[in-house]
Every structure is written in C-alpha cells, then in structure tokens.
Amino acid sequence: MNVLVLNAGSSSLKFQLIATDPAAITADKDVRLCRGQINRLGGEVVIEVLMRDGLRKKFAASTRDMQASLEHLMQWIASDASGIGEIRALSDVNAVGHRVVHGGELFGESKLITDEVLKGIEDCIELAPLHNPNNIKGILAARQVFGPKLPQVAVFDTSFHHSIPEHAYLYAIPYHLYRRHRIRRYGFHGTSHRYVSERYRRLRGISREQTNVITMHLGNGCSAAAIRGGECIDTSMGMTPLEGLVMGTRSGDLDPAIVGLIATKESLSPSETEALLNTQSGLLGISGLSNDMRVLQEELEGHDDRRVRLAIEVFCYRARKYVGAFLAAMGGSDAVVFTGGIGENSADVRARICTGLEWAGLKVDEKRNQQTVGSEGQISTDDSSLHAFVIPTDEELLIARDTVRCVLGEPHFSRSESPSTADGKRL
Ligand code: ADP
C-alpha cells in the first residue's frame, strides 16, 4: 500500500511517500519513495524533495496555498520527471496519513478520518490553536486533491499519552478549571515515544507487558516519557509543549509565579510572556548564542564559554532529574532510550545525562556511546541493571503503518492491544 504521510504547518507541508503493505508491517520492507517539504506557503512555494537514491531536487511553483501546492507536487511525483515508478497516477496513492498535534481527551488512538473525526479535531483547536487548524487544512487539501473516497487517517501526537492516570495528568489547581477549560497534562511527541518504545521491544524480543523504559526525545523540542508495561504512565510535557525538559528555545519547568513577574517587570502581555518562554528561553536563553546543540558544543570545545557551558549543564541536569523522577514513578525501569537529533547524535550530552545515574545501575560504555551516532544500539555496559539505548525515531513510518492498519480495519495500538509475540514482531 502506498501511503502519503503529511505534516501540515503554518508555512510548510512536510511529506513522505512510503510504499508499505500489510506484510511490511511485520517484515520491515517499507520503501521510502521520497520525502521532502513544500516551503513558503502563502507566497510562491519552493518544493524540496529527497529521492530514495539520496538525490535532492528543488523547484519553485507558482502556487501559494496548500491544496494547489500539494496538487502540483503530486503531479510532479506521478510524472516521468520524478522517476518514481510506483506512482504513475494519483490513484497509485492508496491512503494519506496525517500527523495531528492534538487529540485532546477524544482520541486515544489513530483514526480513519470521517466528518465526525474531523469535527473532533476541530473541537481540539482550543487546545492547540497554532497547530490543529493547519492539520485540518492539510486534511481538507488532501481530500480535494485525491477526492473524498481516498482513505485518510489522523495520527495524534497526544494519543500515546492517553494511558497516563489521573493522578499524573491533573494539576493541583481548582478542579473546576480542569472541567471548564480542560486544563491538564496531555503530553506530546507521542508518536516518537511510541515508536522507540516499540522498537526497543523488538530489539530485546520482549512483549508489550515487559516493556519498562524511560524514553528521552531530545530534539529542538524535548520530552521524556515513563513507559511501564508498554503503556505511558507519565510524560514531561504538559497542557502545552512548554513544560518539562529544557529545550532549544523553550524554558521547560519553572516556578509559575515567574510568569507574572516577568510580565510585570518587563511590561509584557500574557501572550508576549508566553512567547518569551517559548522562543527566547531554553538553550538559547541561557547561552545567549544559539538554540542549536551542535553550535553550543562546538563553541564549548573551542572557547569554553561560561554561559554555553551553563546552558548545556542545565539541559543535562534537568534531563537527569526527570530520569530520576520517572524511575520513582515507575518503580524502576529497564532502560533509558535516547532519540531525537540530540539524543541520537550527541554522545557527550548522553554521557552528561547518564553520569550520576550509577546509583540506579546505569553504567555508560564509553566506546559504545562514542560509536553510536545516528544509529541504533546499546550504550550501557552489559552488567548495567539500568541500560541505555539509542534508537533513532521514525514518526513517519509509524504514521504510515497506523494508516495501513486503520484502512484495513486491523487492530493497532490501543491500551487493549493483546501482547506481542515474544519475537516482538508486531510493531
Ligand atoms: P526537531 O525536534 O525539530 O525534529 P531534531 O530532532 O532534528 O529537531 O533535533 C535538532 C537538534 O539536534 C538541534 O539542537 C541539533 O543541534 C541537534 N543535533 C543534531 N545533530 C547533532 C550532533 N551531531 N551533535 C549534537 N547535536 C546535534
């Protein structure tokens, strides 16, 4: 089955075309036909495509909106110019899978998109005003381009966190605010946490019930998830993606009184204060230099700048603190799994986070850690009782696989999913 995976943003549309079929769900034979991004929506767009042989193509189109640009892209993909033999016409795309940021309390699993599901995604706009409207635009654009009969599936960033119990998702504020405004922890990056925990399960050949891991998604946005018995029981992001770990430009946790204090002292409105915490804080805020971990690490090596060092130290300390908290919340864990651009690539950050967790049984194998860059593998010593792994995330693949399952009406991830076989083949 050829699945087009879409991630619609305010000014861009990311896409990936994956040839998968029911057998591929268990056999890892999915083929990425191409992936890329339509940029500068609203103006004349620029389309960038990475072909499966590594060739990059870039071309401008005179289209401005999402629908016309998607149509343009699909025409190009189906033409001889693209060289993608599997797609000769729009009808060769069998389904579209969408990343949808917020499913609120409504969606605990991926859903075949019907008018009712679309209405549910609309109901969640209040919870993700910057994201859900774009995701809806993407769904409507695909409906226009491919016609209403083509199955489309919504895969929610929040749904993996549906299993978080009440005591972990409620904030200690007046209960009626939860009832009235749905103020609670939802968590994000669910597709990534789910993908790496399922991949871990496969690597170890264990069942879902036996999966007890702390997953650390460290990218531009960062979050941790506590996964016990294959289910997420807590996560660091909250009502919005601002809570929790230190991120590229987001503060993560802070004393809530600071918000009002900054607003008063700096004469900022509530939304300006929120923007400051979202876009000028985190690694960028402390270092005053960059939100990019690579840049900070190069600077640290070259000049040992004090604020750059501090930014990295605060980042790693916060991450370690969450590992400790989740160990307590879970009653112990078998492994810490690193993913995301930083988690997959920075041996130094991983070592800094793990240093000081020897008490919990985690001993980093220096050589394995240094060698595991952008690849999958164990980075702890064999005699550790708490292991550490690196597992590159692949949200698009999970979206494509969920899409296939929804289209075929097969059971996919849900809390009631029966355990996988010991060979861990069911992803
Ligand atoms: P996003 O959350 O936007 O998907 P990524 O997961 O790609 O972002 O992560 C981006 C982050 O990963 C940036 O801070 C980048 O500097 C960092 N990163 C990528 N490669 C490396 C590397 N080799 N060493 C350190 N950090 C890296």
Side-chain angles (χ1 to χ4, degrees), residues 105-157:
E105 294 190 322
L106 281 176
F107 299 110
E109 56 188 31
S110 306
K111 288 280 179 205
L112 199 59
I113 298 172
T114 57
D115 286 345
E116 199 189 339
V117 169
L118 202 53
K119 164 86 179 47
I121 299 172
E122 275 169 14
D123 285 346
C124 297
I125 285 180
E126 191 189 34
L127 297 169
L130 299 179
H131 294 101
N132 274 30
N134 295 316
N135 300 151
I136 292 170
K137 261 194 215 165
I139 293 167
L140 296 177
R143 199 182 260 185
Q144 288 296 327
V145 171
F146 293 98
K149 290 217 175 95
L150 189 83
Q152 298 202 62
V153 170
V155 179
F156 302 91
D157 257 20

CSV table of all heavy atoms in Angstrom, one decimal, residues 105-157:
chain,number,residue,atom,x,y,z
A,105,GLU,N,-8.8,14.8,24.9
A,105,GLU,CA,-9.3,13.6,25.6
A,105,GLU,C,-10.1,12.7,24.7
A,105,GLU,O,-10.5,11.7,25.1
A,105,GLU,CB,-10.1,14.0,26.8
A,105,GLU,CG,-9.2,14.7,27.8
A,105,GLU,CD,-9.9,14.9,29.2
A,105,GLU,OE1,-11.1,15.1,29.2
A,105,GLU,OE2,-9.2,14.8,30.2
A,106,LEU,N,-10.3,13.2,23.4
A,106,LEU,CA,-11.2,12.5,22.5
A,106,LEU,C,-10.5,11.3,21.8
A,106,LEU,O,-11.2,10.3,21.6
A,106,LEU,CB,-11.6,13.4,21.4
A,106,LEU,CG,-12.7,14.4,21.7
A,106,LEU,CD1,-12.9,15.3,20.5
A,106,LEU,CD2,-14.0,13.7,22.0
A,107,PHE,N,-9.2,11.4,21.5
A,107,PHE,CA,-8.6,10.4,20.6
A,107,PHE,C,-7.5,9.7,21.3
A,107,PHE,O,-6.4,10.2,21.5
A,107,PHE,CB,-8.1,11.0,19.3
A,107,PHE,CG,-9.2,11.7,18.5
A,107,PHE,CD1,-9.3,13.0,18.4
A,107,PHE,CD2,-10.2,10.9,17.9
A,107,PHE,CE1,-10.3,13.6,17.6
A,107,PHE,CE2,-11.2,11.5,17.2
A,107,PHE,CZ,-11.3,12.9,17.0
A,108,GLY,N,-7.7,8.4,21.7
A,108,GLY,CA,-6.7,7.6,22.4
A,108,GLY,C,-6.0,6.8,21.4
A,108,GLY,O,-5.1,6.0,21.7
A,109,GLU,N,-6.3,6.8,20.1
A,109,GLU,CA,-5.6,6.1,19.1
A,109,GLU,C,-5.9,6.7,17.7
A,109,GLU,O,-6.7,7.6,17.6
A,109,GLU,CB,-6.1,4.6,19.0
A,109,GLU,CG,-7.6,4.5,18.9
A,109,GLU,CD,-8.1,3.0,19.0
A,109,GLU,OE1,-7.5,2.3,19.8
A,109,GLU,OE2,-9.1,2.7,18.4
A,110,SER,N,-5.1,6.2,16.7
A,110,SER,CA,-5.2,6.8,15.4
A,110,SER,C,-6.6,6.5,14.8
A,110,SER,O,-7.2,5.4,15.1
A,110,SER,CB,-4.1,6.2,14.5
A,110,SER,OG,-2.9,6.4,15.1
A,111,LYS,N,-7.1,7.4,14.0
A,111,LYS,CA,-8.5,7.2,13.5
A,111,LYS,C,-8.6,7.5,12.0
A,111,LYS,O,-8.0,8.4,11.4
A,111,LYS,CB,-9.4,8.3,14.1
A,111,LYS,CG,-9.7,8.0,15.6
A,111,LYS,CD,-10.8,7.0,15.7
A,111,LYS,CE,-11.0,6.7,17.2
A,111,LYS,NZ,-11.6,5.4,17.4
A,112,LEU,N,-9.4,6.6,11.3
A,112,LEU,CA,-9.8,6.9,10.0
A,112,LEU,C,-10.6,8.2,10.0
A,112,LEU,O,-11.5,8.3,10.8
A,112,LEU,CB,-10.6,5.7,9.5
A,112,LEU,CG,-10.8,5.5,8.0
A,112,LEU,CD1,-9.5,5.3,7.3
A,112,LEU,CD2,-11.7,4.3,7.8
A,113,ILE,N,-10.3,9.1,9.1
A,113,ILE,CA,-10.9,10.4,9.2
A,113,ILE,C,-12.3,10.4,8.5
A,113,ILE,O,-12.5,10.1,7.3
A,113,ILE,CB,-10.0,11.5,8.5
A,113,ILE,CG1,-8.7,11.6,9.3
A,113,ILE,CG2,-10.8,12.9,8.6
A,113,ILE,CD1,-7.7,12.5,8.7
A,114,THR,N,-13.3,10.6,9.4
A,114,THR,CA,-14.7,10.8,8.9
A,114,THR,C,-15.1,12.2,9.3
A,114,THR,O,-14.3,12.9,9.9
A,114,THR,CB,-15.6,9.9,9.7
A,114,THR,OG1,-15.5,10.2,11.1
A,114,THR,CG2,-15.3,8.4,9.5
A,115,ASP,N,-16.3,12.6,8.9
A,115,ASP,CA,-16.7,14.0,9.2
A,115,ASP,C,-16.7,14.2,10.8
A,115,ASP,O,-16.4,15.2,11.3
A,115,ASP,CB,-18.1,14.3,8.6
A,115,ASP,CG,-17.9,14.6,7.1
A,115,ASP,OD1,-16.8,14.8,6.7
A,115,ASP,OD2,-19.0,14.5,6.4
A,116,GLU,N,-17.1,13.1,11.4
A,116,GLU,CA,-17.2,13.1,12.9
A,116,GLU,C,-15.7,13.3,13.5
A,116,GLU,O,-15.6,14.1,14.4
A,116,GLU,CB,-17.8,11.8,13.4
A,116,GLU,CG,-18.3,11.9,14.8
A,116,GLU,CD,-18.7,10.6,15.3
A,116,GLU,OE1,-19.0,9.6,14.5
A,116,GLU,OE2,-18.8,10.4,16.5
A,117,VAL,N,-14.8,12.6,13.0
A,117,VAL,CA,-13.4,12.7,13.5
A,117,VAL,C,-12.9,14.1,13.2
A,117,VAL,O,-12.3,14.8,14.0
A,117,VAL,CB,-12.5,11.6,12.8
A,117,VAL,CG1,-11.0,11.9,13.1
A,117,VAL,CG2,-12.9,10.2,13.3
A,118,LEU,N,-13.2,14.6,12.0
A,118,LEU,CA,-12.8,16.0,11.6
A,118,LEU,C,-13.4,17.0,12.6
A,118,LEU,O,-12.7,17.9,13.1
A,118,LEU,CB,-13.2,16.3,10.2
A,118,LEU,CG,-12.5,17.4,9.5
A,118,LEU,CD1,-11.0,17.2,9.4
A,118,LEU,CD2,-13.0,17.5,8.0
A,119,LYS,N,-14.6,16.8,13.0
A,119,LYS,CA,-15.3,17.7,14.0
A,119,LYS,C,-14.5,17.6,15.3
A,119,LYS,O,-14.3,18.6,16.0
A,119,LYS,CB,-16.7,17.2,14.1
A,119,LYS,CG,-17.5,17.7,15.2
A,119,LYS,CD,-18.1,19.1,14.9
A,119,LYS,CE,-19.0,19.6,16.0
A,119,LYS,NZ,-18.4,19.6,17.4
A,120,GLY,N,-14.1,16.3,15.7
A,120,GLY,CA,-13.4,16.1,16.9
A,120,GLY,C,-12.0,16.9,16.9
A,120,GLY,O,-11.6,17.5,17.9
A,121,ILE,N,-11.4,16.9,15.8
A,121,ILE,CA,-10.1,17.6,15.6
A,121,ILE,C,-10.3,19.1,15.8
A,121,ILE,O,-9.6,19.8,16.4
A,121,ILE,CB,-9.4,17.2,14.3
A,121,ILE,CG1,-9.1,15.7,14.3
A,121,ILE,CG2,-8.1,18.0,14.2
A,121,ILE,CD1,-8.6,15.2,12.9
A,122,GLU,N,-11.5,19.5,15.2
A,122,GLU,CA,-11.8,20.9,15.3
A,122,GLU,C,-12.1,21.3,16.8
A,122,GLU,O,-11.7,22.4,17.3
A,122,GLU,CB,-13.1,21.2,14.5
A,122,GLU,CG,-12.8,21.5,13.1
A,122,GLU,CD,-14.1,21.5,12.2
A,122,GLU,OE1,-15.2,21.6,12.8
A,122,GLU,OE2,-13.9,21.5,11.0
A,123,ASP,N,-12.7,20.4,17.5
A,123,ASP,CA,-13.0,20.6,18.9
A,123,ASP,C,-11.7,20.8,19.8
A,123,ASP,O,-11.8,21.4,20.8
A,123,ASP,CB,-13.8,19.5,19.6
A,123,ASP,CG,-15.3,19.5,19.1
A,123,ASP,OD1,-15.7,20.5,18.6
A,123,ASP,OD2,-16.0,18.5,19.3
A,124,CYS,N,-10.6,20.3,19.2
A,124,CYS,CA,-9.4,20.4,20.0
A,124,CYS,C,-8.6,21.6,19.6
A,124,CYS,O,-7.5,21.8,20.1
A,124,CYS,CB,-8.5,19.1,19.7
A,124,CYS,SG,-9.3,17.6,20.4
A,125,ILE,N,-9.1,22.4,18.7
A,125,ILE,CA,-8.4,23.6,18.2
A,125,ILE,C,-8.0,24.5,19.4
A,125,ILE,O,-6.9,25.1,19.5
A,125,ILE,CB,-9.2,24.4,17.2
A,125,ILE,CG1,-9.1,23.7,15.9
A,125,ILE,CG2,-8.7,25.9,17.0
A,125,ILE,CD1,-9.9,24.4,14.7
A,126,GLU,N,-9.0,24.6,20.4
A,126,GLU,CA,-8.8,25.5,21.5
A,126,GLU,C,-7.5,25.0,22.3
A,126,GLU,O,-6.8,25.8,22.9
A,126,GLU,CB,-10.0,25.3,22.4
A,126,GLU,CG,-10.1,26.3,23.6
A,126,GLU,CD,-11.2,25.9,24.5
A,126,GLU,OE1,-11.5,24.7,24.7
A,126,GLU,OE2,-11.8,26.8,25.1
A,127,LEU,N,-7.2,23.7,22.2
A,127,LEU,CA,-6.0,23.2,23.0
A,127,LEU,C,-4.7,23.4,22.2
A,127,LEU,O,-3.7,23.4,22.8
A,127,LEU,CB,-6.2,21.7,23.3
A,127,LEU,CG,-7.4,21.4,24.2
A,127,LEU,CD1,-7.7,19.9,24.2
A,127,LEU,CD2,-7.2,21.9,25.6
A,128,ALA,N,-4.8,23.5,20.9
A,128,ALA,CA,-3.6,23.7,20.1
A,128,ALA,C,-3.9,24.6,18.9
A,128,ALA,O,-4.0,24.3,17.8
A,128,ALA,CB,-3.2,22.3,19.5
A,129,PRO,N,-4.2,25.9,19.3
A,129,PRO,CA,-4.6,26.9,18.3
A,129,PRO,C,-3.6,27.1,17.2
A,129,PRO,O,-4.0,27.5,16.1
A,129,PRO,CB,-4.9,28.2,19.1
A,129,PRO,CG,-4.2,28.0,20.4
A,129,PRO,CD,-4.0,26.5,20.6
A,130,LEU,N,-2.4,26.8,17.4
A,130,LEU,CA,-1.4,27.1,16.4
A,130,LEU,C,-1.2,25.9,15.4
A,130,LEU,O,-0.6,26.0,14.3
A,130,LEU,CB,0.0,27.4,17.0
A,130,LEU,CG,0.0,28.7,17.8
A,130,LEU,CD1,1.4,28.9,18.4
A,130,LEU,CD2,-0.4,29.9,17.1
A,131,HIS,N,-1.6,24.7,15.9
A,131,HIS,CA,-1.3,23.5,15.1
A,131,HIS,C,-2.5,22.8,14.5
A,131,HIS,O,-2.5,22.5,13.3
A,131,HIS,CB,-0.6,22.5,16.0
A,131,HIS,CG,0.7,23.0,16.4
A,131,HIS,ND1,1.0,23.5,17.7
A,131,HIS,CD2,1.9,23.0,15.8
A,131,HIS,CE1,2.2,23.9,17.8
A,131,HIS,NE2,2.8,23.6,16.6
A,132,ASN,N,-3.6,22.6,15.3
A,132,ASN,CA,-4.7,21.8,14.7
A,132,ASN,C,-5.3,22.5,13.5
A,132,ASN,O,-5.7,21.7,12.5
A,132,ASN,CB,-5.8,21.5,15.8
A,132,ASN,CG,-5.4,20.3,16.6
A,132,ASN,OD1,-4.3,19.9,16.8
A,132,ASN,ND2,-6.5,19.6,17.1
A,133,PRO,N,-5.5,23.8,13.4
A,133,PRO,CA,-6.0,24.4,12.2
A,133,PRO,C,-5.2,24.0,11.0
A,133,PRO,O,-5.8,23.8,9.9
A,133,PRO,CB,-6.0,25.9,12.5
A,133,PRO,CG,-6.0,26.0,14.0
A,133,PRO,CD,-5.2,24.8,14.5
A,134,ASN,N,-3.9,24.0,11.1
A,134,ASN,CA,-3.1,23.6,9.9
A,134,ASN,C,-3.2,22.2,9.6
A,134,ASN,O,-3.3,21.8,8.4
A,134,ASN,CB,-1.6,24.0,10.2
A,134,ASN,CG,-1.4,25.4,10.3
A,134,ASN,OD1,-1.9,26.2,9.6
A,134,ASN,ND2,-0.6,25.8,11.4
A,135,ASN,N,-3.3,21.3,10.6
A,135,ASN,CA,-3.6,19.9,10.3
A,135,ASN,C,-4.9,19.7,9.6
A,135,ASN,O,-5.0,18.9,8.7
A,135,ASN,CB,-3.6,19.1,11.6
A,135,ASN,CG,-2.3,19.2,12.4
A,135,ASN,OD1,-2.2,19.1,13.7
A,135,ASN,ND2,-1.1,19.5,11.7
A,136,ILE,N,-5.9,20.5,10.0
A,136,ILE,CA,-7.2,20.4,9.3
A,136,ILE,C,-7.1,20.8,7.9
A,136,ILE,O,-7.6,20.2,6.9
A,136,ILE,CB,-8.3,21.2,10.1
A,136,ILE,CG1,-8.6,20.5,11.4
A,136,ILE,CG2,-9.6,21.3,9.2
A,136,ILE,CD1,-9.4,21.3,12.4
A,137,LYS,N,-6.3,21.9,7.7
A,137,LYS,CA,-6.1,22.4,6.3
A,137,LYS,C,-5.5,21.3,5.4
A,137,LYS,O,-5.8,21.1,4.3
A,137,LYS,CB,-5.1,23.6,6.3
A,137,LYS,CG,-5.8,24.9,6.2
A,137,LYS,CD,-4.7,26.0,5.9
A,137,LYS,CE,-5.0,27.3,6.6
A,137,LYS,NZ,-3.9,28.2,6.7
A,138,GLY,N,-4.5,20.6,6.0
A,138,GLY,CA,-3.8,19.5,5.3
A,138,GLY,C,-4.8,18.4,4.9
A,138,GLY,O,-4.8,17.9,3.8
A,139,ILE,N,-5.7,18.1,5.9
A,139,ILE,CA,-6.7,17.0,5.6
A,139,ILE,C,-7.6,17.4,4.5
A,139,ILE,O,-7.9,16.7,3.5
A,139,ILE,CB,-7.5,16.7,6.9
A,139,ILE,CG1,-6.6,16.1,7.9
A,139,ILE,CG2,-8.7,15.8,6.6
A,139,ILE,CD1,-7.1,16.0,9.4
A,140,LEU,N,-8.1,18.7,4.5
A,140,LEU,CA,-9.0,19.2,3.5
A,140,LEU,C,-8.4,19.3,2.2
A,140,LEU,O,-8.9,19.0,1.1
A,140,LEU,CB,-9.6,20.5,4.0
A,140,LEU,CG,-10.5,20.5,5.2
A,140,LEU,CD1,-11.0,21.8,5.6
A,140,LEU,CD2,-11.7,19.5,5.1
A,141,ALA,N,-7.1,19.7,2.2
A,141,ALA,CA,-6.3,19.8,0.9
A,141,ALA,C,-6.2,18.5,0.3
A,141,ALA,O,-6.5,18.3,-0.9
A,141,ALA,CB,-5.0,20.4,1.2
A,142,ALA,N,-5.9,17.5,1.1
A,142,ALA,CA,-5.7,16.1,0.5
A,142,ALA,C,-7.0,15.6,0.0
A,142,ALA,O,-7.1,14.9,-1.0
A,142,ALA,CB,-5.1,15.2,1.6
A,143,ARG,N,-8.1,15.9,0.7
A,143,ARG,CA,-9.4,15.5,0.3
A,143,ARG,C,-9.8,16.1,-1.1
A,143,ARG,O,-10.3,15.4,-1.9
A,143,ARG,CB,-10.5,15.9,1.3
A,143,ARG,CG,-11.8,15.2,1.3
A,143,ARG,CD,-12.7,15.7,2.3
A,143,ARG,NE,-12.8,14.9,3.5
A,143,ARG,CZ,-13.7,15.1,4.5
A,143,ARG,NH1,-14.5,16.1,4.4
A,143,ARG,NH2,-13.7,14.3,5.5
A,144,GLN,N,-9.4,17.3,-1.3
A,144,GLN,CA,-9.7,17.9,-2.6
A,144,GLN,C,-8.8,17.3,-3.7
A,144,GLN,O,-9.2,17.0,-4.8
A,144,GLN,CB,-9.4,19.5,-2.5
A,144,GLN,CG,-10.4,20.3,-1.7
A,144,GLN,CD,-11.7,20.2,-2.3
A,144,GLN,OE1,-11.9,20.2,-3.5
A,144,GLN,NE2,-12.8,20.3,-1.5
A,145,VAL,N,-7.5,17.1,-3.3
A,145,VAL,CA,-6.6,16.6,-4.4
A,145,VAL,C,-6.9,15.2,-4.8
A,145,VAL,O,-6.9,14.8,-5.9
A,145,VAL,CB,-5.1,16.8,-3.9
A,145,VAL,CG1,-4.1,16.1,-4.8
A,145,VAL,CG2,-4.7,18.3,-3.7
A,146,PHE,N,-7.1,14.3,-3.8
A,146,PHE,CA,-7.3,12.9,-4.0
A,146,PHE,C,-8.7,12.5,-4.2
A,146,PHE,O,-9.0,11.3,-4.5
A,146,PHE,CB,-6.6,12.1,-3.0
A,146,PHE,CG,-5.1,12.2,-2.9
A,146,PHE,CD1,-4.5,13.1,-2.0
A,146,PHE,CD2,-4.3,11.5,-3.8
A,146,PHE,CE1,-3.1,13.2,-2.0
A,146,PHE,CE2,-2.9,11.6,-3.8
A,146,PHE,CZ,-2.3,12.5,-2.9
A,147,GLY,N,-9.6,13.4,-3.8
A,147,GLY,CA,-11.1,13.0,-3.8
A,147,GLY,C,-11.5,12.4,-2.5
A,147,GLY,O,-10.7,11.9,-1.7
A,148,PRO,N,-12.8,12.5,-2.2
A,148,PRO,CA,-13.3,12.2,-0.9
A,148,PRO,C,-13.3,10.7,-0.6
A,148,PRO,O,-13.4,10.2,0.5
A,148,PRO,CB,-14.8,12.6,-0.9
A,148,PRO,CG,-15.1,12.8,-2.4
A,148,PRO,CD,-13.9,13.0,-3.1
A,149,LYS,N,-13.1,9.9,-1.6
A,149,LYS,CA,-13.1,8.4,-1.4
A,149,LYS,C,-11.7,7.9,-0.9
A,149,LYS,O,-11.7,6.8,-0.3
A,149,LYS,CB,-13.4,7.7,-2.7
A,149,LYS,CG,-14.9,7.9,-3.1
A,149,LYS,CD,-15.4,6.6,-3.8
A,149,LYS,CE,-16.9,6.7,-4.1
A,149,LYS,NZ,-17.1,7.1,-5.5
A,150,LEU,N,-10.7,8.6,-1.1
A,150,LEU,CA,-9.4,8.1,-0.6
A,150,LEU,C,-9.3,8.1,0.9
A,150,LEU,O,-9.6,9.2,1.5
A,150,LEU,CB,-8.2,9.0,-1.2
A,150,LEU,CG,-6.9,8.3,-0.9
A,150,LEU,CD1,-6.5,7.3,-1.9
A,150,LEU,CD2,-5.8,9.4,-0.8
A,151,PRO,N,-9.0,7.0,1.5
A,151,PRO,CA,-9.0,7.0,3.0
A,151,PRO,C,-7.9,7.8,3.6
A,151,PRO,O,-6.7,7.8,3.0
A,151,PRO,CB,-8.7,5.5,3.3
A,151,PRO,CG,-8.6,4.8,2.1
A,151,PRO,CD,-8.7,5.7,0.9
A,152,GLN,N,-8.2,8.6,4.6
A,152,GLN,CA,-7.2,9.4,5.3
A,152,GLN,C,-7.3,9.0,6.8
A,152,GLN,O,-8.3,8.8,7.3
A,152,GLN,CB,-7.5,10.9,5.1
A,152,GLN,CG,-7.5,11.4,3.7
A,152,GLN,CD,-7.3,12.9,3.6
A,152,GLN,OE1,-6.3,13.4,4.0
A,152,GLN,NE2,-8.3,13.6,3.0
A,153,VAL,N,-6.1,9.1,7.4
A,153,VAL,CA,-6.0,8.7,8.8
A,153,VAL,C,-5.3,9.8,9.6
A,153,VAL,O,-4.4,10.4,9.1
A,153,VAL,CB,-5.2,7.3,8.9
A,153,VAL,CG1,-4.9,7.0,10.3
A,153,VAL,CG2,-6.1,6.2,8.2
A,154,ALA,N,-5.8,10.0,10.8
A,154,ALA,CA,-5.2,11.0,11.7
A,154,ALA,C,-4.4,10.2,12.8
A,154,ALA,O,-5.0,9.4,13.4
A,154,ALA,CB,-6.3,11.9,12.3
A,155,VAL,N,-3.2,10.6,12.9
A,155,VAL,CA,-2.3,10.0,14.0
A,155,VAL,C,-1.9,11.2,14.9
A,155,VAL,O,-1.3,12.1,14.5
A,155,VAL,CB,-1.1,9.3,13.4
A,155,VAL,CG1,-0.2,8.7,14.4
A,155,VAL,CG2,-1.5,8.3,12.3
A,156,PHE,N,-2.3,11.0,16.2
A,156,PHE,CA,-2.2,12.2,17.1
A,156,PHE,C,-1.0,12.1,17.9
A,156,PHE,O,-0.6,11.0,18.4
A,156,PHE,CB,-3.5,12.1,18.0
A,156,PHE,CG,-4.8,12.2,17.3
A,156,PHE,CD1,-5.4,11.1,16.9
A,156,PHE,CD2,-5.3,13.5,17.0
A,156,PHE,CE1,-6.6,11.2,16.2
A,156,PHE,CE2,-6.5,13.6,16.3
A,156,PHE,CZ,-7.2,12.4,15.9
A,157,ASP,N,-0.4,13.3,18.1
A,157,ASP,CA,0.8,13.4,19.0
A,157,ASP,C,0.5,13.1,20.4
A,157,ASP,O,1.4,12.8,21.2
A,157,ASP,CB,1.3,14.9,18.9
A,157,ASP,CG,2.5,15.0,18.0
A,157,ASP,OD1,2.7,14.2,17.2
A,157,ASP,OD2,3.2,16.0,18.2
